[in-house]
Amino acid sequence: MNTNWLDYTLLTLVIIGAINWGLIGLFDFNLVTFIFGEGTLTKIVYILVGIAGLINIGLLIKDIDIK
């Protein structure tokens, strides 16, 4: 499997999203909103994490050999 910088970047975004959801679930603390405040930048972060998650679905199944 050849992993490039984009794959690592997307995976990092997904991990950030997972940590944020864990903090929300455990402590009712939203790290993204804490760092970026309420506004456009926070929405951009959420959009990027969502896109990264969708693309990572493709990474998950790209090496499956369908016969």
Side-chain angles (χ1 to χ4, degrees):
M1 183 166 111
N2 187 11
T3 306
N4 60 28
W5 67 270
L6 181 60
D7 294 342
Y8 284 117
T9 303
L10 294 172
L11 184 57
T12 300
L13 284 172
V14 170
I15 291 168
I16 289 169
I19 291 169
N20 193 53
W21 274 111
L23 289 171
I24 290 170
L26 290 171
F27 306 112
D28 199 24
F29 177 73
N30 189 329
L31 183 62
V32 175
T33 302
F34 178 76
I35 293 172
F36 298 110
E38 304 254 350
T40 305
L41 191 55
T42 298
K43 289 182 182 184
I44 291 171
V45 170
Y46 289 143
I47 290 167
L48 290 174
V49 169
I51 290 169
L54 292 173
I55 292 172
N56 272 318
I57 293 171
L59 292 176
L60 181 67
I61 62 174
K62 78 177 183 181
D63 289 331
I64 296 175
D65 185 18
I66 300 174
K67 294 180 182 180

